[in-house]
Each structure stands twice: as C-alpha cells, then as structure tokens.
Amino acid sequence: MTKLRKAVFPVAGFGTRFLPATKAMPKELLPIVDKPLIQYAAEEAIAAGIDTLIFVTGRNKRAIEDHFDNNQELEMALRAKGKNEQADMVKNILPAGVECIFVRQPEQLGLGHAVLSAERAVGNDAFAVLLADDFLTYEGSGVTADLARAFATSGKTQLSVMEVNGPDISKYGVVVPNGAPGSVAGLVEKPDADKAPSNLASIGRYILTPDIFDILRNQPAGAGGEIQLADAINTQAAKDAVEAVTLNGRRFDCGSVQGYLDAIMHVADRRTR
C-alpha cells in the first residue's frame, strides 16, 4: 500500500471566540506556552511519517506561512548575540525534506468544503486531516501515527474517536457502531443528545481515502447550511469503508477559551514537573 505522505490542515476560520486577539493574528498561531497550536499539529503529522503539509488558508492567514518559512534575518541576529539554541529553534521549525503547500479557500462553506479545496494538492492519494483546534496529548508517536497504522492494515478511512457521555455528545459527529470493534456503520453530525447513536465522538483527526473528493463535490449542504465532512464520511461508511481508532491520549478543545486555558495549564504543569 502507498505510504501516507500528505496531511491537510484547514486553517481558514476567523477564530471569533478569541477576538480581539484574532483580529489580525490567526487563531492557529495562539501559543500553548511557547509553541503555536498549528506547530503542534504539524509535528504530530511529521511524527507519523508525513512530509507534505497542505494548509487550506483564508484572508489574514499569511502569518501561518511566515511561521513555517525561513527567517534568516532573525536567525543571524540571534547568532550574532550568541543565542545559538534559539537560532537553531527558529531554523528547525520543520525538519529537512518537509514541504509546505498553501491553498486558499475563497469562501468558508464548511469543513467538507475546506477539504475539497485541497483536492489538487492531494491528488489521488490517501491523506490525513488535522484540525489544530483539537490540541491532543498522547502516548507513543501520536494520534495521527495510530491512524496511519490502522490505515496501512485495512486501507479504509480512519476516524479518531473518544467517549463523550451526556449532552455534550451533540457537539460532535457521532459514530453509528457496526457491531465489530472499530467498524463504523455511519457518522451523524451533531445529533440531539437523546438521539445520538452512541457515545463515540469523532474528533479532529482523520485519514481519508481520495474518493472523498467525489462525494464532497456532489454532496448537498448539511447542518448549518455547510458542506459537512461528516456527511461524506457517512456515505463512505455505508460502503463498509470506515473504521474508528480510540484516542490514546487527552483532547483539549482549543476552539473554546476554556479549552485553550486548560491546555496551557496542562502543558505548563508538565513542564514544571
């Protein structure tokens, strides 16, 4: 089976929950202590063996491109002051051999539309999708690596899932179980809590097979009038083409202020031990 080499990062959102901080700065560059959210996600993808990072951007997102670009002036200034450790950190934001591609999403029409915007860059390959808002701590080589191993075994679309009990399940795409462990019969986007088919919530890590593009292209708008990725995955699941991998770690919803603060406290606590 072809090695998984590409990852898509949908980063075109406005980040309105963090205004005014995100008026001019992308929310994906909000730091968890000393490293921005998007860099954590990029490093997770690289740890899974991915070497092509595709960022789906929008207006006012140029700073993300600058973050992953070389900054020779800053590096030289740091070395001139003898700050070689910081200079090496700036130089090695990404390891050698990793390529960044930036694709503009002209209009925000949902996560499914953002993924579809990356089609030309992805081509006919399976690919990962990482949502930087989902800050994940994990054991081993990472959540995306876990999904990649499962994909290498079956060749099916892979979802990272976690258990969510109570009314909060209505905030997620929810798995319709298929009997066998890890098998997915369907995915329902944000169901009412009393109608949720399980307590297994899909979170912001996926490996998708390239047929997802044809599904998204011909799919009507779903919840919120947007092109929902969950609806397209539901179509794949009806063909027994989707599996779920339970999250091996902890998730912080950094799309919310409280989740972001919790993530900072968690990382800071681990740094001081």
Side-chain angles (χ1 to χ4, degrees):
M1 185 174 293
T2 303
K3 181 179 181 295
L4 189 74
R5 296 189 58 189
K6 298 176 181 178
V8 172
F9 302 83
V11 293
F14 291 124
T16 54
R17 294 181 186 178
F18 290 89
L19 288 169
T22 51
K23 179 176 181 289
M25 181 181 74
K27 65 176 179 177
E28 294 81 11
L29 289 181
L30 291 172
I32 302 295
V33 184
D34 57 358
K35 188 186 300 184
L37 283 165
I38 190 62
Q39 188 173 336
Y40 282 101
E43 290 175 353
E44 180 187 324
I46 293 165
I50 289 166
D51 61 13
T52 304
L53 312 181
I54 303 164
F55 299 90
V56 180
T57 70
R59 287 181 57 82
N60 298 324
K61 298 288 182 166
R62 179 62 186 270
I64 294 175
E65 186 172 351
D66 290 341
H67 177 74
F68 288 107
D69 199 0
N70 291 330
N71 189 332
Q72 294 183 350
E73 294 85 356
L74 175 58
E75 183 186 341
M76 290 173 62
L78 289 169
R79 295 198 190 282
K81 295 179 180 180
K83 298 181 178 181
N84 290 314
E85 183 177 349
Q86 290 96 326
D88 291 341
M89 187 185 304
V90 169
K91 181 178 181 180
N92 299 319
I93 290 289
L94 293 175
V98 174
E99 177 185 11
C100 293
I101 298 173
F102 294 87
V103 176
R104 178 64 67 91
Q105 183 185 12
E107 187 177 3
Q108 293 182 40
L109 297 175
L111 178 57
H113 182 262
V115 170
L116 184 58
S117 299
E119 180 179 12
R120 289 188 180 181
V122 170
N124 197 37
D125 299 321
F127 62 103
V129 175
L130 294 90
L131 307 186
D133 281 359
D134 278 5
F135 177 76
L136 305 180
T137 64
Y138 46 79
E139 302 298 330
S141 53
V143 177
T144 299
D146 288 347
L147 295 176
R149 283 189 288 270
F151 172 76
T153 298
S154 70
K156 296 182 179 182
T157 281
Q158 302 292 326
L159 309 179
S160 183
V161 300
M162 68 178 189
E163 291 188 2
V164 175
N165 296 304
D168 281 352
I169 192 68
S170 64
K171 299 177 181 178
Y172 299 87
V174 181
V175 167
V176 180
N178 200 25
S183 184
V184 176
L187 190 65
V188 182
E189 178 68 9
K190 297 180 180 178
D192 293 338
D194 59 347
K195 297 179 181 177
S198 74
N199 67 342
L200 294 177
S202 173
I203 62 171
R205 299 293 188 274
Y206 313 83
I207 290 178
L208 304 175
T209 51
D211 60 302
I212 199 79
F213 293 125
D214 284 336
I215 298 170
L216 288 167
R217 192 179 298 108
N218 296 294
Q219 178 177 287
E226 297 182 334
I227 304 298
Q228 296 290 348
L229 180 61
D231 293 342
I233 293 172
N234 184 60
T235 298
Q236 290 183 321
K239 302 175 183 177
D240 191 29
V242 180
E243 294 176 338
V245 177
T246 301
L247 173 66
N248 179 25
R250 185 174 174 186
R251 171 186 178 264
F252 296 87
D253 177 11
C254 289
S256 71
V257 173
Q258 187 59 55
Y260 175 64
L261 293 174
D262 290 343
I264 292 173
M265 294 298 293
H266 176 80
V267 172
D269 179 63
R270 294 183 71 173
R271 294 271 186 97
T272 57
R273 288 181 182 178

